[in-house]
Amino acid sequence: MCLNRKDLGLLALRSAVGGVLIAHGTQKLFGWFGGGGLEGTTQAMDHMGFHPARESAMAAGLGEAGGGALLVVGLATPAAGAVVAGTMATAVAVHAPAGFFAMGGGYEYPAFLGATGLAIGLAGAGRYSLDHLTGHAFDRSWISALSFVASAAGAYAVVARRRHVVRLREERAAVEADEQDGSGLS
């Protein structure tokens, strides 16, 4: 059997990106690799304006760990890529105010992971995958289309909800500041 360089490259890319996502997801879910676990992630999600916070923490952890695991093994690759892209889109929304570069807290890193998940989901897992072994049972064009539409809609809804919560917090903080300064008195 002759190894196919393109498929071997896809396996290497899926393994690297999926492995990073698994590590990040298990930090959120279980506290592995120095992460905050579900409780710490819930607190962080609440602070960032994601509500309900616990469900958001679980969704982020499962999106990263689950999407990453599916990428590594190459199973349901369009859905896995869509999950990764959608999960990272919400992370991009959080980091966007800090600019592009990760060094300054920007969105460079989650954007790269999301774009890579998107590309793998569109390209497919290649020969060295469970998708190939199962005759692409979970890698159909309708699954791909449905996955990416659902992921985009879900990411949009989560980001819009977060923006709403953050805006309400800012308005509440402004009112409280006015009241403390005495400018709220007539």
Side-chain angles (χ1 to χ4, degrees), residues 73-146:
V73 299
L75 181 63
T77 305
V83 166
V84 167
T87 302
M88 292 299 105
T90 60
V92 166
V94 170
H95 292 277
F100 178 71
F101 291 103
M103 183 180 249
Y107 64 91
E108 169 187 19
Y109 187 61
F112 175 76
L113 289 174
T116 305
L118 172 71
I120 294 170
L122 292 172
R127 274 188 222 163
Y128 311 126
S129 67
L130 290 180
D131 277 341
H132 182 75
L133 286 176
T134 62
H136 298 277
F138 304 104
D139 184 9
R140 306 275 187 224
S141 55
W142 69 269
I143 293 173
S144 182
L146 181 64

Side-chain angles (χ1 to χ4, degrees), residues 12 21 24 27-28 34 42-43 49 73 98 111 119 136 138 149 156 172:
L21 288 162
H24 279 278
Q27 283 182 312
K28 289 173 176 66
T42 297
Q43 291 173 4
V73 299
H136 298 277
F138 304 104
V149 168
Y156 177 81
R172 190 175 320 129

